[in-house]
Amino acid sequence: IGEKDKERRLGKYYINHRFVFLFRYDIKAVIGRGNYSRVIRVEQKATKQPFAIKLIETSRREGREVCTSELSVLRRVSHCNIIQLIEVFEIRDRVYLVMELATGGELLDRVIAQGSFTERDATRVLQMVADGIRYLHSLRITHRNLKPENLLYYHPGVESKILITDFGLASSGKASSNWSMTTLCGTPEYMAPEILLRNPYTSAVDMWALGVITYILLSGMLPFEDENQSRLYRKILKGKYSYTGDPWPNVSNLAKDFIDQLLNVDSTFRMSAGQALNHPWVLATAATSSMKNLHRSISQNLMHRTPIRSRSLKSAPTSESCHSNRIVFSLIFLAALVWRIVNSQSVSEWYLLSAYRVQSTVLSAWESTTQQSW
């Protein structure tokens, strides 16, 4: 096929898919941003039903890899605790994944917002997450980026289910091959020791991440934390964490044993998803799980500490964070300028010109962050 024929075909494909997309959906708002994607809330015109569309930029290699990983998983899965793919549109360097819309918010935001949180509440959440993980592992799918931000409530109601989302780093193994991986990826605080050691690893890395999530869920703190990434990695490799400080004295030994069985440095002795679901702490929830309200300590720890949200490894800053940095540095410069004026120091023409440019930067960054373009 000649280049002109290729362009003609691509143009026709682009026009048809764009027409179908706009014919079926009304664009409502941008509700999230990622490294290579945006999430848009839309409404299906025929049914008025809301959906989420994940728009992935595929012009760069990283974006294409994320798109391939996401699609290879979402096209295979059907489980009540995993986000469901509805349909796909491909328009030149963009892929639009139409998915069910989760409106209940992130896991930790819900924990903070509700007035009570007990071990029984924690096990209810973990049962749903572990069941979703067990299903994925049965299909030889490893998520590789499990963390609270990727666990969303389906709706705001008390009885809402949890959905596992964001499969951009997921790996799909083939039945005929050795199911091991070597790629260094994930979010640092949730990465298993074998990933950091660059050893071949298995789906057990998801279970380590589940142990970290459980620790956070019951305390509002990370088991391994350090602002310096090298020190953080050393702590993870040692596998040393503690149960000191509130609310740990009020947490049952069974809950701590559940965490210990997951945060095992030796992956061969780490619980599988099926074993986690059969752990006494999970099975005996209704009868023996502690009903002590841990909410106050958990919410205080979550709100009065370094934010738990972290970027995935090797990812570029989001456009949102870039704009935020521009605003911060611009405001610092303006503050320095005001200080010079207040203290009657000379203000050169360069300072005034720079101030004008800074003002333009602040305004453009602000407009970009608030703009709801798609």
Side-chain angles (χ1 to χ4, degrees):
I1 302 174
E3 288 300 318
K4 290 186 178 179
D5 291 328
K6 282 184 179 180
E7 289 180 10
R8 194 178 299 114
R9 286 191 178 189
L10 180 60
K12 183 178 179 181
Y13 181 68
Y14 169 77
I15 292 168
N16 286 346
H17 276 246
R18 187 176 180 84
F19 175 77
V20 172
F21 173 74
L22 293 174
F23 181 77
R24 290 187 187 177
Y25 297 98
D26 278 327
I27 308 300
K28 294 299 181 181
V30 176
I31 56 176
R33 295 177 186 270
N35 300 318
Y36 312 104
S37 63
R38 277 172 285 176
V39 181
I40 306 161
R41 183 170 60 84
V42 300
E43 188 178 89
Q44 195 175 54
K45 292 183 177 181
T47 64
K48 301 299 181 183
Q49 186 175 352
F51 289 98
I53 288 184
K54 187 169 187 177
L55 186 164
I56 303 177
E57 302 283 352
T58 56
S59 56
R60 295 173 58 187
R61 178 181 58 83
E62 295 87 348
R64 290 193 295 273
E65 289 176 352
V66 167
C67 184
T68 300
S69 295
E70 194 112 20
L71 277 175
S72 66
V73 171
L74 293 178
R75 281 175 166 158
R76 294 175 59 195
V77 299
S78 179
H79 188 277
C80 62
N81 297 120
I82 297 172
I83 197 82
Q84 293 298 294
L85 179 69
I86 309 300
E87 58 181 333
V88 181
F89 296 91
E90 186 174 358
I91 304 174
R92 285 187 179 165
D93 291 332
R94 289 180 174 181
V95 174
Y96 296 77
L97 310 181
V98 183
M99 299 181 288
E100 59 183 337
L101 178 64
T103 60
E106 294 179 10
L107 172 59
L108 296 184
D109 291 338
R110 176 73 72 95
V111 172
I112 293 173
Q114 66 189 53
S116 174
F117 192 80
T118 67
E119 287 186 37
R120 184 175 294 181
D121 296 319
T123 53
R124 180 176 177 272
V125 169
L126 294 168
Q127 274 183 312
M128 291 186 281
V129 177
D131 196 47
I133 295 172
R134 178 173 63 176
Y135 172 78
L136 290 172
H137 290 181
S138 72
L139 297 177
R140 302 175 73 83
I141 295 170
T142 307
H143 190 284
R144 300 200 295 188
N145 199 24
L146 287 171
K147 53 185 176 180
E149 299 96 300
N150 292 336
L151 302 176
L152 305 179
Y153 280 95
Y154 183 58
H155 61 72
V158 177
E159 298 302 317
S160 172
K161 64 182 178 179
I162 284 279
L163 294 175
I164 299 173
T165 68
D166 195 351
F167 289 86
L169 295 180
S171 174
S172 300
K174 296 180 180 179
S176 59
S177 64
N178 180 30
W179 191 22
S180 65
M181 296 149 277
T182 56
T183 305
L184 178 66
C185 65
T187 300
E189 290 82 359
Y190 302 85
M191 289 167 63
E194 57 267 33
I195 298 179
L196 300 178
L197 289 171
R198 307 292 183 98
N199 292 335
Y201 58 86
T202 67
S203 60
V205 298
D206 285 346
M207 302 313 298
W208 175 277
L210 183 63
V212 176
I213 292 168
T214 306
Y215 190 100
I216 297 169
L217 201 55
L218 291 174
S219 68
M221 299 180 289
L222 282 161
F224 312 102
E225 185 175 20
D226 201 296
E227 291 183 1
N228 181 282
Q229 200 167 77
S230 297
R231 289 198 298 266
L232 170 66
Y233 288 168
R234 285 197 292 270
K235 289 181 179 180
I236 293 172
L237 292 173
K238 289 178 181 178
K240 300 296 183 182
Y241 53 92
S242 69
Y243 295 121
T244 58
D246 286 334
W248 288 117
N250 295 315
V251 175
S252 69
N253 289 329
L254 273 179
K256 293 172 184 175
D257 182 73
F258 182 84
I259 294 171
D260 294 341
Q261 297 294 328
L262 292 171
L263 296 183
N264 194 320
V265 173
D266 188 341
S267 62
T268 58
F269 292 102
R270 206 173 293 155
M271 280 196 299
S272 66
Q275 290 170 334
L277 287 167
N278 289 318
H279 189 276
W281 183 55
V282 175
L283 289 177
T285 298
T288 62
S289 274
S290 172
M291 290 299 294
K292 292 179 181 177
N293 188 1
L294 308 174
H295 179 265
R296 182 177 179 181
S297 297
I298 293 172
S299 59
Q300 284 180 347
N301 289 338
L302 284 171
M303 296 173 69
H304 296 98
R305 59 182 301 284
T306 304
I308 280 178
R309 289 177 175 80
S310 304
R311 281 195 297 118
S312 300
L313 195 67
K314 289 188 175 179
S315 62
T318 63
S319 57
E320 202 168 15
S321 65
C322 289
H323 289 311
S324 298
N325 289 338
R326 288 170 67 192
I327 292 173
V328 169
F329 286 117
S330 299
L331 290 176
I332 290 172
F333 181 88
L334 280 174
L337 177 62
V338 171
W339 183 86
R340 290 179 68 94
I341 294 172
V342 169
N343 288 274
S344 302
Q345 295 190 18
S346 60
V347 180
S348 66
E349 184 180 347
W350 178 86
Y351 254 88
L352 293 174
L353 180 59
S354 298
Y356 172 77
R357 289 173 177 168
V358 164
Q359 182 186 24
S360 301
T361 299
V362 172
L363 289 174
S364 64
W366 176 259
E367 288 170 0
S368 299
T369 53
T370 55
Q371 186 179 22
Q372 293 184 346
S373 64
W374 62 281

